[in-house]
Amino acid sequence: MSAVEHEPVAAGDPYDAIAELAVQQLVAAQTGDLDRMEQLMARWAVLVATLPDTAPPGARAALERAATAHAQTSVLLTQARDGVGDGLARSGTARRVAVGYRATAAVAAVSRQA
């Protein structure tokens, strides 16, 4: 088990624990720690499975904190995904340019030999 799995989550109220996990997920997204994000998501799934279908009125504040953290996490993960896509596109462009230069160099070498 890693140190992440031993991090404390709010004891007692499961809705406070959900809010705390959401904040930990946000931190993991901010730092790009995908392994930690995966562990936290697994913990989230286990905890959510224990909750009733309808939250009690007293859970509202904790659920609002969780929703805010999740919205911020979603933005960060979307930006990260888009950044990876942009990097792959640039990599493909660089590869095509290199192939083009290689072909041009080969034609020039053949022309010099003739």
Side-chain angles (χ1 to χ4, degrees), residues 7-62:
E7 288 181 7
V9 173
D13 185 357
Y15 297 99
D16 285 336
I18 287 285
E20 185 175 331
L21 279 174
V23 169
Q24 289 180 19
Q25 287 174 338
L26 175 58
V27 171
Q30 290 169 332
T31 60
D33 190 345
L34 298 181
D35 290 333
R36 182 173 183 211
M37 179 66 83
E38 186 176 353
Q39 292 171 348
L40 292 169
M41 288 172 58
R43 291 170 65 189
W44 175 278
V46 169
L47 184 55
V48 168
T50 67
L51 298 177
D53 290 338
T54 304
R60 182 181 181 111

Side-chain angles (χ1 to χ4, degrees), residues 28-101:
Q30 290 169 332
T31 60
D33 190 345
L34 298 181
D35 290 333
R36 182 173 183 211
M37 179 66 83
E38 186 176 353
Q39 292 171 348
L40 292 169
M41 288 172 58
R43 291 170 65 189
W44 175 278
V46 169
L47 184 55
V48 168
T50 67
L51 298 177
D53 290 338
T54 304
R60 182 181 181 111
L63 291 174
E64 286 175 347
R65 287 193 314 274
T68 298
H70 264 238
Q72 293 170 340
T73 300
S74 179
V75 168
L76 289 173
L77 293 176
T78 298
Q79 290 171 343
R81 182 206 60 209
D82 292 348
V84 168
D86 292 345
L88 290 173
R90 283 191 300 276
S91 174
T93 299
R95 188 174 304 119
R96 287 189 300 277
V97 168
V99 168
Y101 282 135

